[in-house]
Amino acid sequence: MTAGDWDEVKRLAADFRRAQLVSTVQTLSERNCIEIITKLIEINLLDVIFTTDGKEYITPQYLIKEIKDELYVSGGRINLVELSKTLNVDLSHITARIPEVERSSAGCTLIMGQLITKQYQKTIAEEINKKLQSTGQINVGDLTKVYDLPGDYLQDVVENLGKIIVGKQDKTDSRIFYTEAFLERNKCLLRGTLRAFTKPTQVSVILTITQLQSRDFYFAFDSLADDKEVCGSLTARQGGNAMFIPHIYTKQLNEWVENFYAQNGYLEYDALNRLGISEPKSFIRRHFASSGLLELCTCMIGPQLLNQVEATVEETLRTGSCIDVMMLVPSVLSTSDIRAVLNEVMKKIKNTTAHIFCDTVFITDAFLQELAKGFHTSGFLQNKAELAVSTGAYIQAQAEKKLGRNLASGNKEKEENPGKVEKREERRRKAAGGKSGGGTQGRETKTKSVKKKGHGKEQIAESDSDNEAFIKKEPLGKLEIIKVSEVEELLSKTNTDIMDIEGLVAEIAAYLHPILNKEAISLASAAYEKTMISSVGDRRKAHVDLQDKVDLWIMELRLSDRGLKLFNDKDDQAKLSSYVIKTTGLQLINAIFTYATQDINHPSINVSVTKEFTPEMRTKLLSELSSEVREPLTKLNKCLAGNSVDEFLLTVEPALCAVGLLSRKPDKKKEKQFLQTRRELLLTQLVHSDSPATVLLVGLLLIFQVATQNVLNASGKFVSIILPFLKPYLTAEVYQTLMKFQDLVVQLWAVDNNEEIENKLRSELNETMQEIKDICSDFRKPLQ
């Protein structure tokens, strides 16, 4: 500074001192000062801030300086409300200046009404690190309570790992942090504890022993598992019953199970439950996945035990004897288990000539036939059959059987044609009332003949409802020549140890009873026929019966011929005609030959008992007949090789005349009755059949008869001809369903020793079979 400048300073200082010493001429009051400052603020010439008491003014720059000073004094964190009270400035002015403070001070931020500096963040980070190193683990939630700061803010502070905070973040829970030392301590504690266990232990017990939290336990266990230092496994981790199973226990358990299975060939569920295995079935399936065990109700058995039973069963089949399989299998198997084993063995050896009784006894057909043979050799069946004939029981049963068919036919007609039956009943009542016309005799006689049947033993009500109730209550014509109790009594006397098994005699008797009773009925029939043939009157009845049969066969042939003529393809007609001639026509020819040659005593042919003749037998019998009979029968015999039903019927009439039988003209009423009876027969056969091929054939024959009102006789090989013919009578959906079912039947017959494909096809057929039955039984002729 020059001397002149310094002199200027001194002069100014003297002027200033002189001005201070001069007294004021005019003074301003406090109110005037306030008004002046207010006016200056209004015209934007002055920028100041009032204090809360209104006695002081501060500039915004001064306020910012004061905020920074207070923030520094408070350690880098201060609440804005407290700052407002300290600075005596309204909170709105402080809040308005916070953005400027944040811009001017790097790292300074406002959190939940608190101003926090970067230095404070470092301070709490150092405190958190100290706490983490001392405790080994911290939780952000706990820090939130300590520092009264948001969890997300503290999360950001703590996640600054490797710089200030030394630790790791939990992968499963990002709010938890731990140190390596803490993890290693837990791992060492858990490793030592787990190695001390030799049996399954609840995790809750382990937590009590180690004083670890559940989360720390699972974290340490997973770390040990990753390092392959764990000596066991955990079960049901998600539930409250977590269990630790040591490897040594699992090894010993597996060894015990394997040794037991190797020695005994089976594994019992209860035994595995006692060992602590809660799900024995899944354990066995998993442990013996490739052993081919058979699963039963109480246990699983291995192939070695099955092979033993199979060998015994095959030996039993070879010798034609019986065996109680309960003596071969372990005692833990129940009777239902043994039956399942036998079913599996029989499926394996594909044998259907044996039976299972009492669930455990395997009996061959040969053994059962030997038992049944004893009833013949002892004369028991013959005596019972002759007794049934002599007492009239057999004759009564045959009469009741015929009556039952008539009643059923009448009820069926009433159901299908109620109007016609009502008109008939009305005419009957008028005739019985004695009105003019004299038509009461025939009606009354017919009514009386229906009132009583069964030789006076049963009274049948006149109403159709009573008839139906009677038929349902006790089937007519059912003859029981021998009783089950009689079969049981004779079987119990058999010198066979196996008969000592409880309930076996009763089951065998129930099985043999219908067979023996049927044989007894056959013997009774033979005895009855023998008795009938010995009398002239009975021979006349046989002639009438034969005439009725002949009429039915001829009627069937005529109806079949009408149906065959509906086929446009001549080759198909010829094939079907040939089949009809060789079935129905052959029955008619055999009956005619039997009747024509009944008086011939041929040395090699017993005509009285022969029902079917071979071509050689017919040739021999023709040579011994008179020329009047031989010529028409020879022509008829030659027609068997033809394929025209018309020609066959033309040769039948002279043959019948030659042997003394009649060839009646077609009767529309009888034809209608025949069609109705045959339809009911086909329906019954359709309902009770379980064979897919039979269901398809019978169903198509039934549809053909309903659609054409004619008869068709055919075998299964003609299904491919019949089904396309019926296409115009069927809807597209029904036709496709039948075609699909036919294809499945053909595929089933073509299967060659492939059990899997065969079972699949049978399953598909069984699923569709009921639908096929419903289609065929509910089919009605479409309106033209």
Side-chain angles (χ1 to χ4, degrees), residues 388-638:
V389 174
S390 61
T391 57
Y394 176 79
I395 302 174
Q396 179 183 349
Q398 295 301 314
E400 290 177 349
K401 185 176 181 181
K402 186 175 181 180
L403 175 62
R405 286 198 299 267
N406 292 336
L407 289 175
S409 177
N411 293 332
K412 187 70 175 180
E413 182 181 357
K414 180 175 287 188
E415 291 177 2
E416 295 185 353
N417 300 302
K420 183 177 180 181
V421 175
E422 289 177 1
K423 291 180 180 179
R424 185 185 304 166
E425 293 295 332
E426 184 178 355
R427 289 196 302 269
R428 181 181 300 172
R429 287 193 298 270
K430 290 180 180 179
K435 292 184 178 181
S436 61
T440 62
Q441 294 180 356
R443 303 288 184 180
E444 187 176 355
T445 304
K446 185 175 182 181
T447 304
K448 288 184 178 180
S449 65
V450 179
K451 285 187 178 179
K452 291 186 179 181
K453 290 288 182 180
H455 304 285
K457 290 187 178 182
E458 295 289 347
Q459 294 294 329
I460 304 176
E462 292 181 8
S463 65
D464 292 322
S465 60
D466 292 340
N467 289 338
E468 291 177 0
F470 179 77
I471 294 173
K472 292 180 181 178
K473 182 177 179 181
E474 183 176 354
L476 295 176
K478 184 177 180 181
L479 177 61
E480 188 180 58
I481 295 180
I482 61 174
K483 298 181 180 179
V484 179
S485 58
E486 296 173 339
V487 179
E488 289 185 20
E489 182 180 356
L490 290 178
L491 287 176
S492 60
K493 298 177 182 180
T494 306
N495 296 326
T496 306
D497 295 336
I498 201 169
M499 291 300 178
D500 296 334
I501 298 175
E502 183 179 358
L504 180 60
V505 172
E507 288 196 15
I508 295 178
Y511 174 79
L512 291 178
H513 174 257
I515 300 174
L516 295 174
N517 192 66
K518 185 177 180 180
E519 293 177 355
I521 292 175
S522 299
L523 293 174
S525 177
Y528 176 72
E529 289 180 1
K530 185 177 180 180
T531 304
M532 292 294 291
I533 291 174
S534 62
S535 62
V536 177
D538 295 335
R539 187 168 183 177
R540 184 181 298 111
K541 184 177 181 300
H543 176 84
V544 173
D545 292 341
L546 178 60
Q547 181 66 60
D548 292 338
K549 290 180 181 179
V550 168
D551 292 341
L552 290 176
W553 283 325
I554 293 177
M555 186 186 303
E556 183 177 355
L557 287 170
R558 287 171 179 165
L559 293 174
S560 298
D561 185 51
R562 285 188 219 162
L564 294 174
K565 289 180 179 178
L566 297 176
F567 289 85
N568 297 325
D569 194 319
K570 298 300 181 180
D571 292 336
D572 294 342
Q573 279 191 28
K575 293 176 182 178
L576 291 169
S577 299
S578 178
Y579 178 83
V580 171
I581 293 172
K582 291 180 180 179
T583 53
T584 307
L586 182 60
Q587 292 179 348
L588 177 59
I589 288 177
N590 285 333
I592 295 174
F593 270 74
T594 302
Y595 185 79
T597 58
Q598 59 187 349
D599 295 329
I600 298 177
N601 295 320
H602 197 279
S604 61
I605 303 174
N606 188 356
V607 179
S608 61
V609 298
T610 300
K611 299 300 180 183
E612 295 183 4
F613 300 99
T614 62
E616 293 78 11
M617 294 170 64
R618 288 195 294 270
T619 303
K620 291 180 181 180
L621 293 174
L622 284 172
S623 63
E624 299 186 22
L625 294 173
S626 61
S627 59
E628 294 82 4
V629 178
R630 185 191 314 122
E631 291 180 2
L633 289 186
T634 302
K635 293 180 180 179
L636 182 62
N637 189 37
K638 290 180 180 180

Side-chain angles (χ1 to χ4, degrees), residues 244-255:
F244 172 73
I245 302 177
H247 288 331
I248 184 65
Y249 174 81
T250 304
K251 182 180 179 182
Q252 291 176 351
L253 179 65
N254 292 338
E255 289 178 355

Side-chain angles (χ1 to χ4, degrees), residues 544 547-548 551 554 558 656 662-667 670:
V544 173
Q547 181 66 60
D548 292 338
D551 292 341
I554 293 177
R558 287 171 179 165
L656 292 176
L662 300 177
S663 177
R664 294 188 174 95
K665 295 181 179 180
D667 188 337
K670 289 184 178 180

Side-chain angles (χ1 to χ4, degrees), residues 192-383:
T193 304
L194 295 180
R195 288 181 177 178
F197 292 115
T198 59
K199 64 179 182 179
T201 306
Q202 292 283 347
V203 171
S204 58
V205 176
I206 301 175
L207 295 178
T208 303
I209 296 173
T210 59
Q211 297 298 315
L212 292 175
Q213 296 296 325
S214 176
R215 173 175 39 77
D216 297 337
F217 167 81
Y218 286 115
F219 188 77
F221 185 89
D222 292 338
S223 299
L224 290 173
D226 294 338
D227 298 337
K228 297 182 180 181
E229 295 181 2
V230 67
C231 55
S233 59
L234 287 178
T235 60
R237 179 179 293 197
Q238 300 298 328
N241 297 322
M243 181 83 70
F244 172 73
I245 302 177
H247 288 331
I248 184 65
Y249 174 81
T250 304
K251 182 180 179 182
Q252 291 176 351
L253 179 65
N254 292 338
E255 289 178 355
W256 185 91
V257 171
E258 290 173 358
N259 292 335
F260 185 89
Y261 175 71
Q263 294 175 5
N264 300 279
Y266 73 94
L267 290 171
E268 185 184 5
Y269 302 146
D270 290 341
L272 297 181
N273 281 328
R274 290 192 293 269
L275 292 175
I277 300 175
S278 58
E279 297 181 359
K281 292 185 178 180
S282 59
F283 172 82
I284 296 173
R285 294 193 201 103
R286 184 174 61 255
H287 198 72
F288 299 92
S290 60
S291 298
L293 275 72
L294 176 63
E295 184 174 332
L296 303 174
C297 297
T298 59
C299 64
M300 287 191 185
I301 64 174
Q304 60 271 32
L305 196 56
L306 277 175
N307 293 337
Q308 180 181 350
V309 176
E310 182 180 349
T312 306
V313 167
E314 288 179 348
E315 178 65 19
T316 304
L317 287 171
R318 188 181 63 82
T319 58
S321 57
C322 60
I323 188 172
D324 186 6
V325 183
M326 184 176 285
M327 308 300 295
L328 305 175
V329 297
S331 59
V332 298
L333 269 70
S334 64
T335 55
S336 60
D337 291 339
I338 298 176
R339 188 176 188 90
V341 171
L342 283 173
N343 289 334
E344 182 69 19
V345 170
M346 292 179 68
K347 186 190 300 182
K348 195 173 181 181
I349 62 178
K350 297 181 179 179
N351 184 277
T352 58
T353 61
H355 306 273
I356 302 173
F357 294 97
C358 295
D359 292 330
T360 64
V361 181
F362 181 82
I363 300 180
T364 61
D365 275 348
F367 185 82
L368 293 174
Q369 291 172 6
E370 190 65 25
L371 291 177
K373 186 178 179 181
F375 290 85
H376 289 277
T377 56
S378 63
F380 175 77
L381 289 181
Q382 186 65 35
N383 294 336

Side-chain angles (χ1 to χ4, degrees), residues 657-692:
C657 294
V659 298
L661 295 172
L662 300 177
S663 177
R664 294 188 174 95
K665 295 181 179 180
D667 188 337
K668 295 294 183 181
K669 184 176 180 181
K670 289 184 178 180
E671 286 182 359
K672 185 176 181 181
Q673 292 177 353
F674 177 82
L675 289 173
Q676 181 64 28
T677 302
R678 190 174 186 277
R679 181 176 182 274
E680 293 175 1
L681 181 63
L682 290 174
L683 281 173
T684 303
Q685 189 176 359
L686 179 68
V687 171
H688 293 91
S689 178
D690 294 328
S691 171

